[in-house]
Amino acid sequence: MRILERYLLGNLLLGFAAAAALLLPLFSTLDLVGELDDIGDAGYRLGQALQVTLMTLPRRAVELGPFIALLGGIAALGQLSMSQELSVLRTAGVSATRIGLTALLAGTLLAGGLGALDEFVASPLQQKAIKLRAYAKPDNDKDDSIWARKDGQVVRIGSLATGRVPNHLEIFRFDESNRLQEYILADRAEIQPGGLWQLHDVRLKRWSDEGESVERLERLEWRAILPDSRLDEVTLPPASLSARQLRGYVHFLQNTGQPSIQFEIALWQKLGVPILTLAMILFALPFTFAPVRSTGLGSRLALGALMGLLVYIGNESLVSLGQLLKLNAMLVGLLPALVLLGMALALVRRFDRGKP
């Protein structure tokens, strides 16, 4: 790597750090304010609100990745533009494409770091924060039922005590003609090795040609159709799951004939975020190649923030529309990022052709 690329790369990384130092405290404060509204309800205390806010800080960093790339790029390259260094480089024959490639390298490092943060830090911590908040402030009006269907069986789990103990189970068994053959109602289940669940306080009802029979049992073994390794995941919002968890859960939903579009879109969104981050860092270049006296750095940052906001609103609207209309998950998750990346590349090439 040449001295020029190292110099630009260093400035861009410092710009990312400055943008993160500005955005993360701001959004974390807003998150904390939202948590403070619930303090005092059902034992939810200030210490727990602070803990939840801190545990969701890595997730906030991942979500703000494209904004950090855009604003950090504008700040870093804008400062070079204000000091005439970019003008000197352009006059010396350094193309906008070359500067853009260095920006892409910086964006790749940022996207890779945030991707690792999402998979190994942000997702586990956010899931713990969700459980901590749920235990401290249970929502009795929320329906936490879990449904699963497989091999002629449908199971409903009313709730999960301490996140792992199934309570208030209903199991429906159907024959090949989809006629109900058996209905099991259990107070709770004890998960055992090998996929077996020990049902407790069971009421068993069967239908046959001879009529209806009802039994009451203290215990009954049942081979579960829902893997116990997925129990923690099914009660969590898709955005809190890692890419590995999403891929496994989508596979399970598809194998059991259940709707998976929401989780598929969330998975493809995670894959689209690095592409969107690269697009945003390239969009920083047109802001900084403008004449120095035309707009100040503050104005450029304000315009960049507005652009980032519009991109966020548009992307979220498309995701909601995709879930509603059951559009192709890959297109919903990747197409906006790919379109923006193509537009950004075209803009950078335009500066080379125009030689501003």
Side-chain angles (χ1 to χ4, degrees), residues 139-140 142-147 156-170 186-189 191 197 226 231 234-235:
D139 187 354
N140 296 325
K142 181 181 178 182
D143 184 9
D144 291 326
S145 298
I146 300 169
W147 291 85
R156 174 188 171 272
I157 302 174
S159 62
L160 291 176
T162 66
R164 294 285 298 171
V165 181
N167 285 336
H168 311 301
L169 293 88
E170 291 183 282
D187 181 64
R188 62 186 177 88
I191 299 176
W197 289 14
L226 180 67
L231 285 179
V234 296
T235 58

Side-chain angles (χ1 to χ4, degrees), residues 17 59 87 95 139 157 207 225 248 326 331:
R59 168 62 60 201
S87 299
S95 66
D139 187 354
I157 302 174
W207 289 269
I225 61 174
K326 294 181 172 55
L331 290 180

Side-chain angles (χ1 to χ4, degrees), residues 13-316:
L13 294 179
L14 285 175
F16 296 158
L22 172 67
L23 293 174
L24 287 178
L26 174 61
F27 280 87
S28 294
T29 301
L30 295 176
D31 290 339
L32 179 59
V33 170
E35 294 295 329
L36 292 178
D37 291 339
D38 296 326
I39 287 180
D41 294 341
Y44 194 52
R45 298 290 181 258
L46 176 60
Q48 292 167 318
L50 288 170
Q51 189 177 355
V52 167
T53 302
L54 289 175
M55 292 173 75
T56 54
L57 184 60
R59 168 62 60 201
R60 187 62 67 192
V62 172
E63 293 174 345
L64 291 173
F67 298 93
I68 291 173
L70 178 61
L71 297 183
I74 293 175
L77 296 177
Q79 191 61 40
L80 294 178
S81 178
M82 298 294 289
S83 63
Q84 302 293 332
E85 290 178 83
L86 275 186
S87 299
V88 172
L89 290 176
R90 299 282 279 147
T91 304
V94 177
S95 66
T97 300
R98 183 177 172 184
I99 297 173
L101 289 175
T102 306
L104 279 178
L105 175 59
T108 301
L109 293 175
L110 175 64
L114 291 176
L117 182 70
D118 182 10
E119 189 73 12
F120 302 109
V121 180
S123 294
L125 280 180
Q126 186 183 9
Q127 292 167 21
K128 291 180 180 179
I130 291 172
K131 294 173 185 176
L132 172 64
R133 195 180 194 281
Y135 298 152
K137 185 181 178 298
D139 187 354
N140 296 325
D141 296 328
K142 181 181 178 182
D143 184 9
D144 291 326
S145 298
I146 300 169
W147 291 85
R149 179 180 62 191
K150 187 178 182 181
D151 299 333
Q153 295 186 85
V154 176
V155 60
R156 174 188 171 272
I157 302 174
S159 62
L160 291 176
T162 66
R164 294 285 298 171
V165 181
N167 285 336
H168 311 301
L169 293 88
E170 291 183 282
I171 303 169
F172 306 84
R173 286 179 176 163
F174 299 87
D175 61 16
E176 295 180 354
S177 302
N178 289 325
R179 291 178 300 183
L180 183 62
Q181 282 189 323
E182 192 173 88
Y183 170 73
I184 300 174
L185 178 64
D187 181 64
R188 62 186 177 88
E190 180 182 341
I191 299 176
Q192 298 179 338
L196 289 177
W197 289 14
Q198 185 84 269
L199 306 181
H200 293 264
D201 193 9
V202 179
R203 183 181 179 186
L204 174 61
K205 185 180 290 189
R206 291 191 176 98
W207 289 269
S208 64
D209 296 337
E210 299 175 357
E212 177 183 306
S213 64
V214 179
E215 293 182 67
R216 287 190 176 273
L217 306 169
E218 289 187 8
R219 295 180 182 85
L220 177 67
E221 277 196 349
W222 173 64
R223 181 161 295 280
I225 61 174
L226 180 67
D228 58 275
S229 60
R230 301 272 178 238
L231 285 179
D232 288 342
E233 300 172 7
V234 296
T235 58
L236 295 169
S240 69
L241 300 177
S242 67
R244 177 184 54 81
Q245 289 174 314
L246 282 169
R247 186 169 57 249
Y249 193 49
V250 166
H251 182 70
F252 167 75
L253 291 175
Q254 291 175 342
N255 284 345
T256 55
Q258 300 180 73
S260 61
I261 184 65
Q262 184 181 11
F263 293 89
E264 290 182 64
I265 291 177
L267 175 60
W268 284 108
Q269 269 190 297
K270 284 187 181 292
L271 300 178
V273 167
I275 302 174
L276 183 59
T277 301
L278 297 181
M280 291 296 101
I281 184 61
L282 285 180
F283 273 120
L285 270 68
F287 285 98
T288 55
F289 284 158
V292 176
R293 295 180 182 177
S294 61
T295 56
L297 183 57
S299 299
R300 299 179 190 187
L301 287 171
L303 289 172
L306 177 61
M307 176 187 171
L309 180 62
L310 292 175
V311 168
Y312 174 79
I313 293 174
N315 194 51
E316 290 300 309

